[in-house]
Amino acid sequence: MLSFCFALALLPSCSSTKSKASRAKKIIIEDFDRFYDKFHKDRVFQLSRLKFPLQGHSETGKKWTKANWNIMKVRIYDVDKSQYKVECKKTDKSFFQLVWIENAGFNSECRFELIDNKWYLVYALAIDI
């Protein structure tokens, strides 16, 4: 009887240990909004979150490299909408943004993707005719 009571006393601690272990394995997915804010404020962070070779190209038609990358400083939410048209679409695993000037031959497209639970810029296209 004593061994039975001892075994019952151990059960709660075993399940507690098991639940702690399963919590430790919980996958943490980076919050997009925090990432996006930091991406536009911190040059070093931004460069670390570009997936080179970056898809798309610069205004001159050249492939993006670290050497010719123009640091992005303005978030899509802060673009002057009286001068530019903007469009964006967010899903759980991607964020697309488009900025253009109507009938002017200028547009800029970017696509961010969630890769290994962190956000990266994977595509940037700049056109200025």
Side-chain angles (χ1 to χ4, degrees):
M1 179 72 169
L2 182 61
S3 62
F4 178 71
C5 290
F6 183 74
L8 283 177
L10 285 178
L11 283 177
S13 64
C14 291
S15 65
S16 174
T17 303
K18 187 175 180 179
S19 66
K20 285 180 186 176
S22 59
R23 279 193 300 245
K25 293 180 184 179
K26 184 177 179 181
I27 296 171
I28 298 174
I29 297 172
E30 182 174 42
D31 178 71
F32 178 78
D33 293 328
R34 284 190 198 143
F35 156 79
Y36 193 71
D37 286 343
K38 186 173 182 178
F39 184 87
H40 289 84
K41 290 177 183 175
D42 184 333
R43 179 184 188 282
V44 173
F45 180 74
Q46 185 172 130
L47 289 172
S48 76
R49 293 303 185 89
L50 299 174
K51 279 293 190 183
F52 288 108
L54 200 59
Q55 296 174 22
H57 58 78
S58 70
E59 304 88 357
T60 60
K62 293 182 180 178
K63 287 286 186 188
W64 291 113
T65 64
K66 282 190 179 184
N68 71 357
W69 178 250
N70 298 319
I71 297 299
M72 294 172 61
K73 296 178 182 176
V74 180
R75 300 173 329 137
I76 190 76
Y77 313 114
D78 301 329
V79 171
D80 178 0
K81 292 173 187 68
S82 67
Q83 182 177 358
Y84 298 94
K85 303 285 185 183
V86 296
E87 183 180 312
C88 57
K89 180 181 179 184
K90 184 175 183 304
T91 69
D92 290 343
K93 295 184 180 184
S94 69
F95 181 83
F96 172 80
Q97 65 182 41
L98 173 63
V99 178
W100 75 97
I101 299 175
E102 194 114 6
N103 302 317
F106 166 81
N107 81 354
S108 172
E109 295 178 37
C110 292
R111 187 176 70 246
F112 297 87
E113 290 183 359
L114 190 61
I115 302 171
D116 295 328
N117 301 316
K118 291 185 179 182
W119 288 96
Y120 291 88
L121 179 65
V122 297
Y123 175 85
L125 176 67
I127 298 175
D128 193 3
I129 300 173

